[in-house]
Every structure is written in structure tokens, then in C-alpha cells.
């Protein structure tokens, strides 16, 4: 079955710098890759997603890149701000009738003042 | 449009008791998934229901069970509670026509087993 590995588990960056979180997946048939942000006391919230027919997607300060050959995808946050401090989860799935989404174990991002 | 709601938000139980958690999906969503979240363990998938049928199941013991009603609302039940069941239980909903699609999470129910 699908396996998703996420690195690093903890990341500290200075406010204003960029943060990069990387994930690898095992199932080459996976075609949907969402990223979630979980703030303290809340459930995970979708922040950006990408499908396998696209190599990169951007939304303001957030971007996701996908390398299907290497089976890895990354989340890039530029000009980090204090409110970016949270736990981020990557996930992968084969969108069809039976497969569930598989999540990485999460990255705790600390934005340092 | 209202988001996913979960009740109760907090719960304290003792070992051996049972508990029922409730989830109301976003209007129009027919799939509900349940996850257990503990520190350092990420999101552990419990099960997914679609149109009142269990479509996927994780690797949890039979003490964990769920069901879905005709209005798509879902409940999960944990019987004979153990200390290790203390966790945040998250419910997520999606349109459901295809498994693996975008999921929208509720705020979770925090369960403490004493």
C-alpha cells in the first residue's frame, strides 16, 4: 500500500525566511497531493493541493512542487510570518472508488522572531 | 456553508467505559472518515463511511467501531476504554463519490481516559 514519509519532523526558521517541507510517496499511481495546516486546538485545514498532471502550484506565499519521477513533493512557504507556526501534514492518494488518503507524520514549524 | 462539526469537544472517561463520538459533515458531503491523533503519531486512519457503508478500514482493534446514518452524520464508538485511547479524534468529510478526494476536518473531540 501507499506510504508517505515527511521531513523534517521539526523546522525552525527566522521570520521572513523561507521554509521547505518535503514528502516522498511509494505508490507511483498516486495522483492527488494535498497539504494541511493544523493550528493549536484545531483540526487540520487544507492550504493547497496539487494533482499529478501539474508540476507546480502557487497561492500567494505558498507553493507546492511535484516530481513524479522521483515520487516526491514539497511545500514552500516564503516570507514566513508568526502565524505560519503550526503543524503541517502532507498526504497522497489515488483518487478512485476505494483508496483512502495517506498522511505523513507531520512537521512542526516554528517561526522565530 | 457550515463546516464539519463534532460533539462533544471534550470528554473524560475511565478505563473500561465506552464512549460515542458524533460527527456532522458539511452539507452535501456523503463520506465521513475518522482519525486518531496522538502526539508524535500523526493522523492514524480509523475508518471511512460512504452512503452508510464502511468503505475503508484502518488497523485498529474491534473495540473501535463506527456507523453512518442516512443523513450522512456519523458516530464512532470505542468500547472497553484503555489509557492508550486518550487522543484527539478527528472527523473529516468529503463529497465521497471518489475515495481519496479532498477532506475537510472538524475541530476534533479530545478524549481523556483515566
Amino acid at each position: 500500500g501507499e506510504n508517505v514519509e515527511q521531513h523534517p519532523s521539526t523546522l525552525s526558521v527566522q521570520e521572513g525566511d523561507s521554509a521547505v517541507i518535503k514528502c516522498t510517496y511509494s505508490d507511483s499511481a498516486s495522483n492527488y497531493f494535498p497539504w494541511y495546516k493544523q493550528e493549536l486546538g484545531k483540526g487540520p485545514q487544507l492550504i493547497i493541493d496539487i494533482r499529478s498532471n501539474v508540476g507546480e502550484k502557487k497561492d500567494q506565499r505558498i507553493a507546492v512542487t511535484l516530481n513524479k519521477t522521483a515520487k516526491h513533493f514539497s511545500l514552500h512557504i516564503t516570507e514566513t510570518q508568526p502565524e505560519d507556526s503550526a503543524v503541517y501534514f502532507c498526504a497522497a492518494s489515488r483518487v478512485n472508488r476505494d483508496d483512502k488518503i495517506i498522511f505523513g507524520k507531520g512537521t512542526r514549524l516554528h517561526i522565530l522572531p | 456553508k457550515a463546516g464539519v462539526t463534532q460533539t462533544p469537544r471534550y470528554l473524560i472517561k475511565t478505563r473500561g467505559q465506552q464512549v460515542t463520538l458524533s460527527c456532522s459533515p458539511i452539507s452535501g458531503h456523503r463520506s465521513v472518515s475518522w482519525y486518531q491523533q496522538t502526539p508524535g503519531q500523526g493522523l492514524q486512519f480509523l475508518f471511512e463511511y460512504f452512503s452508510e457503508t464502511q468503505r475503508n478500514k484502518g488497523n485498529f482493534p474491534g473495540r473501535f467501531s463506527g456507523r453512518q446514518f442516512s443523513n450522512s452524520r456519523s458516530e464512532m464508538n470505542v468500547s472497553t476504554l484503555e489509557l492508550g485511547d486518550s487522543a484527539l479524534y478527528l472527523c473529516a468529510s468529503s463529497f465521497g463519490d471518489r475515495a481519496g478526494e479532498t477532506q475537510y476536518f472538524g475541530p476534533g473531540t479530545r478524549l481523556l481516559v483515566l
Side-chain angles (χ1 to χ4, degrees), chain A residues 1-109:
Chain A
E2 175 69 282
N3 182 50
V4 176
E5 296 202 357
Q6 183 172 348
H7 300 280
S9 57
T10 306
L11 178 62
S12 296
V13 301
Q14 291 293 139
E15 181 178 349
D17 286 351
S18 295
V20 180
I21 302 171
K22 299 181 179 181
C23 289
T24 60
Y25 60 98
S26 60
D27 188 346
S28 57
S30 290
N31 55 14
Y32 176 59
F33 308 91
W35 285 88
Y36 288 82
K37 174 184 180 182
Q38 186 176 24
E39 297 174 301
L40 201 60
K42 298 182 179 180
Q45 299 299 308
L46 179 73
I47 55 172
I48 195 168
D49 57 12
I50 192 168
R51 297 185 188 269
S52 59
N53 57 347
V54 176
E56 182 176 2
K57 185 176 178 181
K58 292 183 73 171
D59 183 4
Q60 299 183 340
R61 297 186 297 108
I62 293 174
V64 57
T65 58
L66 171 65
N67 184 326
K68 288 192 298 182
T69 303
K71 290 189 286 186
H72 67 70
F73 55 113
S74 301
L75 177 71
H76 303 253
I77 306 174
T78 59
E79 300 173 10
T80 53
Q81 300 170 3
E83 54 264 36
D84 295 330
S85 292
V87 178
Y88 292 81
F89 293 95
C90 65
S93 75
R94 269 190 321 185
V95 177
N96 61 25
R97 284 195 170 277
D98 299 319
D99 281 358
K100 59 186 183 290
I101 287 180
I102 304 297
F103 287 86
K105 289 194 176 298
T107 295
R108 184 170 295 279
L109 176 61

Side-chain angles (χ1 to χ4, degrees), chain B residues 68-79:
Chain B
Q68 187 179 34
F69 302 96
S70 58
N71 62 358
S72 294
R73 192 177 67 85
S74 176
E75 290 180 347
M76 68 162 280
N77 183 277
V78 188
S79 62

Side-chain angles (χ1 to χ4, degrees), chain B residues 37-103:
Chain B
Q37 186 176 32
T38 53
Q41 291 300 311
L43 297 164
Q44 303 288 311
F45 174 77
L46 280 154
F47 27 65
E48 179 199 8
Y49 286 88
F50 172 69
S51 292
E52 302 178 68
T53 300
Q54 190 179 86
R55 182 158 65 180
N56 278 298
K57 188 177 188 305
N59 297 318
F60 277 79
R63 299 185 298 107
F64 293 81
S65 62
R67 60 176 175 169
Q68 187 179 34
F69 302 96
S70 58
N71 62 358
S72 294
R73 192 177 67 85
S74 176
E75 290 180 347
M76 68 162 280
N77 183 277
V78 188
S79 62
T80 320
L81 284 165
E82 301 177 358
L83 296 179
D85 296 333
S86 294
L88 179 68
Y89 290 88
L90 292 160
C91 163
S93 76
S94 65
F95 283 108
D97 289 351
R98 297 181 297 173
E101 268 289 6
T102 306
Q103 297 196 323

